[in-house]
Amino acid sequence: REQYLSVLRSRFKVLAKYVVDCLTKYGICVIDKFLGESTGYEILKEVLQLSSAGIMKQGQLVHGPSSSSNKYIRGDMITWVDGTEPRSENIHFLISCMDAVVLQCASQLEPYTINERTKAMVACYPGRKTRYVRHVDNPNGDGRCITCIYYLNENWDVRQHGGLLRIYPEGEDRVANIEPKFDRLLFFWSDRRNPHEVEQAFKERYAITVWYYD
Ligand SMILES: O=C(O)CNC(=O)c1n[nH]c2ccccc2c1=O
Ligand SMILES: [Fe+2]
């Protein structure tokens, strides 16, 4: 286990350099195959247990304009975990790996000094055209500076399943289209630099998000 962890640590050092470069240049960073298939599946199993245990609550449903077709603006179901809950060892391992990467970046992410984070939010878009309208995670300086999302959707095909994350970097005419692929890790600045939306999902779509504070 020790040997495995030291290999992981040195890998996270390399990843952190890449994350810092990407965030500095684009404000967005995607890492694929973050933990490997078997660990990814272990995490997915724990998330599916949370979901089947019925402990995921509707994200606050905001009534859309009555004229709009889908009455509710958001459809995500969420629950918060800190990884100490029973049968969530692999979610805990994921969070500690996210922390390991961010900790390695922390000193290089001028002007931020990242030193804490939220619990992990497990979100499920139940399909049935649920989506998340365009928003900024932290529009009013609540302290959150980096959004970190880990996706758990095997064989996801946006053409069939939708659920594309679209980020509209402020002041740019380019759009980042992020597919919620299995074992994919995503970082982006949480503030107004990155308005984003989740397009309608037609199949259950799982993700685990942590926000890092300055
Ligand atoms: O899943 C994604 O690809 C992006 N997801 C989001 O932007 C997102 N952002 N802020 C939230 C706040 C509360 C509950 C869910 C969310 C949420 O899915
Ligand atoms: Fe968001």
Side-chain angles (χ1 to χ4, degrees):
R1 188 93 173 136
E2 267 321 299
Q3 206 262 339
Y4 174 63
L5 284 176
S6 66
V7 164
L8 271 186
R9 244 188 296 280
S10 58
R11 179 166 173 255
F12 291 159
K13 225 181 173 72
V14 172
L15 280 183
K17 175 94 191 61
Y18 174 68
V19 172
V20 171
D21 291 350
C22 270
L23 275 179
T24 311
K25 220 180 301 180
Y26 308 111
I28 299 168
C29 177
V30 177
I31 295 174
D32 275 322
K33 297 188 177 29
F34 180 52
L35 296 177
E37 206 161 302
S38 57
T39 306
Y41 280 130
E42 289 308 313
I43 296 167
L44 176 59
K45 268 189 327 205
E46 289 175 2
V47 166
L48 291 174
Q49 270 162 11
L50 287 176
S51 163
S52 57
I55 63 168
M56 296 183 82
K57 303 275 176 292
Q58 291 260 333
Q60 69 269 19
L61 287 177
V62 180
H63 277 267
S66 50
S67 58
S68 76
S69 56
N70 41 357
K71 203 154 58 82
Y72 291 121
I73 287 193
R74 289 175 41 189
D76 49 291
M77 308 278 284
I78 61 168
T79 186
W80 292 89
V81 297
D82 61 13
T84 61
E85 292 82 356
R87 293 185 308 286
S88 69
E89 297 76 30
N90 291 281
I91 294 177
H92 189 213
F93 178 67
L94 166 68
I95 299 169
S96 49
C97 291
M98 288 171 162
D99 287 348
V101 173
V102 171
L103 218 58
Q104 298 269 359
C105 306
S107 54
Q108 306 160 61
L109 288 174
E110 303 301 319
Y112 296 120
T113 48
I114 294 170
N115 48 30
E116 55 187 309
R117 60 163 164 76
T118 64
K119 286 185 177 183
M121 180 188 75
V122 179
C124 168
Y125 286 78
R128 299 193 312 274
K129 297 170 80 174
T130 47
R131 67 192 186 100
Y132 197 139
V133 293
R134 183 168 164 155
H135 66 284
V136 169
D137 281 355
N138 172 18
N140 308 313
D142 65 19
R144 291 179 292 167
C145 51
I146 296 182
T147 302
C148 182
I149 306 180
Y150 182 74
Y151 293 110
L152 291 155
N153 309 293
E154 313 147 78
N155 313 319
W156 189 270
D157 173 6
V158 284
R159 286 183 305 277
Q160 284 180 64
H161 308 132
L164 185 72
L165 168 66
R166 305 200 82 189
I167 306 179
Y168 304 84
E170 191 184 37
E172 306 268 344
D173 56 4
R174 58 189 168 84
V175 180
N177 294 321
I178 318 276
E179 301 190 9
K181 278 184 181 160
F182 182 73
D183 198 19
R184 167 171 278 186
L185 189 66
L186 166 69
F187 295 89
F188 59 88
W189 300 127
S190 309
D191 60 25
R192 291 170 187 268
R193 282 172 287 181
N194 287 319
H196 55 283
E197 67 184 336
V198 177
E199 295 191 329
Q200 287 186 347
F202 304 107
K203 187 182 167 198
E204 289 202 339
R205 178 190 187 278
Y206 291 96
I208 298 178
T209 304
V210 170
W211 282 276
Y212 287 91
Y213 280 91
D214 182 322

